[in-house]
Amino acid sequence: MTPTVKAILDKYESDNPGVKGNLARILMQGRLGGTGKMVILPVDQGFEHGPGRSFAINEPAYDPHYHYQLAIDAGLNAYAAPLGALEAGAGTFAGQIPTILKINSSNSWATRKDQAVTGGVDDALRLGCSAIGFTIYPGSEEAMDMIEEVRELSAEAKSVGIATVIWAYPRGGDLSKEGELGLDVTAYGAHMAALLGAHIIKVKLPSAHIEQPDAKKAYEGDWNAQADRVRHVVKACFNGRRLVVFSGGAAKSADSVYQDARDIRDGGGNGSIIGRNAFQRPRADALEMLDRLVRIYKGEE
Amino acid sequence: MTPTVKAILDKYESDNPGVKGNLARILMQGRLGGTGKMVILPVDQGFEHGPGRSFAINEPAYDPHYHYQLAIDAGLNAYAAPLGALEAGAGTFAGQIPTILKINSSNSWATRKDQAVTGGVDDALRLGCSAIGFTIYPGSEEAMDMIEEVRELSAEAKSVGIATVIWAYPRGGDLSKEGELGLDVTAYGAHMAALLGAHIIKVKLPSAHIEQPDAKKAYEGDWNAQADRVRHVVKACFNGRRLVVFSGGAAKSADSVYQDARDIRDGGGNGSIIGRNAFQRPRADALEMLDRLVRIYKGEE
Amino acid sequence: MTPTVKAILDKYESDNPGVKGNLARILMQGRLGGTGKMVILPVDQGFEHGPGRSFAINEPAYDPHYHYQLAIDAGLNAYAAPLGALEAGAGTFAGQIPTILKINSSNSWATRKDQAVTGGVDDALRLGCSAIGFTIYPGSEEAMDMIEEVRELSAEAKSVGIATVIWAYPRGGDLSKEGELGLDVTAYGAHMAALLGAHIIKVKLPSAHIEQPDAKKAYEGDWNAQADRVRHVVKACFNGRRLVVFSGGAAKSADSVYQDARDIRDGGGNGSIIGRNAFQRPRADALEMLDRLVRIYKGEE
Amino acid sequence: MTPTVKAILDKYESDNPGVKGNLARILMQGRLGGTGKMVILPVDQGFEHGPGRSFAINEPAYDPHYHYQLAIDAGLNAYAAPLGALEAGAGTFAGQIPTILKINSSNSWATRKDQAVTGGVDDALRLGCSAIGFTIYPGSEEAMDMIEEVRELSAEAKSVGIATVIWAYPRGGDLSKEGELGLDVTAYGAHMAALLGAHIIKVKLPSAHIEQPDAKKAYEGDWNAQADRVRHVVKACFNGRRLVVFSGGAAKSADSVYQDARDIRDGGGNGSIIGRNAFQRPRADALEMLDRLVRIYKGEE
Amino acid sequence: MTPTVKAILDKYESDNPGVKGNLARILMQGRLGGTGKMVILPVDQGFEHGPGRSFAINEPAYDPHYHYQLAIDAGLNAYAAPLGALEAGAGTFAGQIPTILKINSSNSWATRKDQAVTGGVDDALRLGCSAIGFTIYPGSEEAMDMIEEVRELSAEAKSVGIATVIWAYPRGGDLSKEGELGLDVTAYGAHMAALLGAHIIKVKLPSAHIEQPDAKKAYEGDWNAQADRVRHVVKACFNGRRLVVFSGGAAKSADSVYQDARDIRDGGGNGSIIGRNAFQRPRADALEMLDRLVRIYKGEE
């Protein structure tokens, strides 16, 4: 165990050794093991967008084993997916990479800004997962219900040594479309996740937009540099006492993915959680991209 | 046990031997036993459409024993029905054919796109069922509640060695009527069932319609051949790692039922779940039709 | 399902279809399927006598898969073994042969006439077993405790559709060594098992000895014919309303095993549960012996 | 419902209507229905003495159905038996006669004055029993354990509307053999049963012997008339507020059975619980004897 | 993951991915990771013999952190200790080495051959342990109670993905002192552990003594070579389907420790569990000894 990881774990001072052990497993895994940085592969887009939109572009990705193997071969820190996808590979890949059971999901036909709970802590235990993952939609009319759901599931998870990852994705309610990525909104959502007891917080990279009139004063100044915005979000997560990873959103050019990673790194973020930009590329391209991301987080690029 | 069935069971790598044993029972039963193909008789139309619309055309079908006997005499793989219908025959036919307890049902007077839970895992155990069956309506305003229901019931079933069959029937919400059978929609619903941890997925045979604007790009090409559409749905179910059966819908000509079966077979589907087209015909005709279906799945026609 | 098996199942008139289905599975399995007769392979001698005494004579028998395969290849009705032995093969052989989880066991060093509970109904469910097996020692100082154990486990099993097999092996207390096999004692132990709600009763073949002074009057007459003694034990099990199988005891000559089977058959017993005489012979010899046993029970020899 | 039975039920003033309903079922059943008198057939001698000693003298009695039918044909009030015996007929005879599940039993090899619990309240419910029956051995070293067992089981039974019958059979400990039937001892045991909350108390017909030196003063006077002794026991059961039935013991002459019944009747007892004297006689004789008993309790003889 | 470890995991065919993952963690940890061999450090001698006898010889060993660090620095596979000892270091060393919570212990003042349960599965989860460890004393008057304890704890552990290690240490009852290490006795104890569902079995290196008269025939031949004796014990554990590790016993010369390891390796055992011979030596000596053990198991010496 490296001093860097040890220092991170020490910040989870109220958690039992089981939770710390699972955080350690994620932080010590793969090529970034020990650096305090992470690249995580999440594959729940089949639930969110359907299989065709998610996998037709790279047909082997229809197979759940493909993603396990990609995450392992790329030397990533963890693989996150909904129940059925983990069940389809958890036996074969037992012990090879930490897994995060994504226990709620939305879908393209959702008529409200909500997600359905699709898994439980018992599932996480029997599948050998290191963490549960749960999405909240700060701003949504359903936000309070989602918060109460994650409270119960997270409390149960903590009692059995399983870590909690919260996806904080503001949307719905009075939020404007632009506001969903606003800096103040993103920081707010991340802070809510921290207050809910998340061990790892996942947000989208924020824009320089400030959504809330009441917050404008607090956000005076220049937020054009993405690394500064990352730094602000990290600060909003208990001044760096909680791990924060950033998602890349829709597939885009490799160069912008790399630039994002450099900004996350330079802003003190803990890494990338990168789905479509990985599995929607041909495997060789994905491995090359993930290799460069790893090197960026290692400070080699 | 045939190598074909063994290979299928191996794909259920996170399930306990109890669940595998019940899947094996279904797959090894009847005239298709061992082939990896199935024909299942479901009789829940009395709940969905009322007894008159369901059974008046073939009066003996008012008797639950009729359906048990039909499924047995036709050499089918399993018989699926709601609680009361199984209770009415489970003693007489104990051990003669695997049964699937359909544990939720809608009805003709439903004021929302939902189903009521009508049975439980305890019922399945005391009635000796091999699986529970549960319908979700992807697209419906109630879809998330239905998903949360099946999650709990399926987790309980898995823990006691009972398999889960999910009927994925998109409807409601923003879906157009044509869209309910759309290829993208059907594949999406099937994929959701797989992600929810279903062991067997039941969908309707999809049309070539593509419903979702965002999915059009992924579905470019020619989908006129039904076998190709079947193949796509199978791919959407973890690239064939989960069993997929297709329902025939309303009663229609025998020839179109046979052609459907050939397409399911040629597209790599695992079989037919065929209700009204069986029990709404006179018994002799039904047996003849089921015999041909079996032969088609055996590749003899 | 044959009329013979149907008639047997009808006698279990208070049991739910789940239990009946599991009894049917055992009765319809293998080469004796449908005859109402059974040959069951039990392998708990490793627990009772140790691995060396049990398996050194036929080294492949150290492997739990050996016994599963032997029971399957010989076309037997069921395989019974303790927890670990079933766990070691339940995945590979799921659905291939009904299994009985032997949930209590003694050992060569037991300092009292008792057995330890080594498995539970939950284990039976997750391993896909059709029945639990439990030994009582009528006569022992521990008999009442054993009875109370099986009552609770059997009640739980019945509620979830699992059948109960009781091994009734009188010993201990005031019983003489000769008395353990006495006709009155064997019939009494079998009757106790029936009163405890056993679905299948397993006893040793009784001698003509009458142990209890108070019972001598009831047992006046000639009991020299083993078939007559079997017939009496069957009568003591609710006049044939319960299945009774007989164990062969220590390894002995093939001819005496065959004669035993003929006597069991002629006396109306339901079959043999034959362990050491099967697995302590070389596989080819065991298969030959089991083949003849099957033929005897079919009335072909 | 007759005023007599209504008056009896009114004395069970703390019991819920479920328990009262079951007592009413027993009291309104058969030829004595409505009289407040009862004749009950108990068959647990197979457990207590073994099948040979119990049934060889009247072979049809090996079949559990025999006893159900005998109790029904004789117009008795209830049939009592252990778990397996009721399971073997409860389906066939459902609703035909109230049943009492005897939930503990001893056996001929018991090494201590105790009984094993062999059934539960759940069993009584699923088998449709009106009452549980439980034996205590006042005087035995095990008496306190037995009392604690019946407390728990009776409390559970009452909560679900099932009545409790306690067999109070003093034996063991410092009691002399003669003392087991002593008047003071019998009354004491019956009173303990009443204090334990029994709805129906079953004792043996007491002798005139007074066992306890300390009780001699209280029992001065002439106890030679059996009816007087019965009257004393009834008084010991809350001055007649609880139903008391008397058992006949080992098979004996018909005339002495009749005389016992007259004494029970004249002493204010509520009836006979008569096992071996019924089922160990040929069926025709048994029916004749039971007919006379009924007529005696009706005051016709 | 190496093919060797994958092949081992495949033998645990009834276990869920959680258990497999924890077995994988142990097998992939440290310098022997991937070889299928293990060296485990157990420190429960403080409970068994008291702190003075255990640690005075090497004072730093009074500190629980000492043992964690020793196991980590030596590149071992796991560290096993009772509750308090793990609690004292589990936070500091979270994620650095798999731990086994030893959940029962005896002590020097024990008045019977038994151990007290000192931890639970909940403890194992909150402390992040990969397995629970439990000692049984085959032969002891308490053996059946111990077996019933481990059954319940192991079933609970399996359901939440925790592995079970059983220490099978025959003693007590009719066993002679020499017999405790007898080959037949050791193999019998190991086999019992396997039948109880242990994932890893720990025994002492057996002597050539054969204790049981009834077993002498099965053990004819030459057992002078320790590797042959190891091979027999491995065979007794389901023919190598279960991991077996051997303990070294009291502190002894380094050379004999090395020879033991070579014999374990050559006999097909899965490794050493070595306590006093490690922590009762000065740290440098211990590390040197453990280094050589690792190299022996790697086949380098």
Side-chain angles (χ1 to χ4, degrees), chain B residues 197-253:
Chain B
H199 300 102
I200 301 177
I201 294 154
K202 182 196 174 205
V203 292
K204 296 188 181 177
L205 278 165
S207 71
H209 173 77
I210 305 297
E211 171 81 356
Q212 303 167 283
D214 289 348
K216 292 227 188 289
K217 186 148 184 296
Y219 285 90
E220 278 173 357
D222 176 5
W223 294 104
N224 286 328
Q226 183 165 253
D228 288 341
R229 302 197 296 268
V230 165
R231 191 171 294 112
H232 173 67
V233 173
V234 169
K235 185 164 290 198
C237 293
F238 296 167
N239 199 29
R241 289 184 179 274
R242 293 295 173 260
L243 293 159
V244 194
V245 293
F246 294 83
S247 60
K252 51 188 173 183
S253 79

Side-chain angles (χ1 to χ4, degrees), chain C residues 47 59 63 84 87 92, chain E residues 13-14 158 188 195 235 241:
Chain C
F47 221 127
E59 293 246 332
D63 190 330
E87 285 184 333
T92 298
Chain E
E13 55 184 67
S14 298
K158 286 174 186 177
Y188 196 161
L195 288 171
K235 185 165 289 202
R241 288 184 180 273

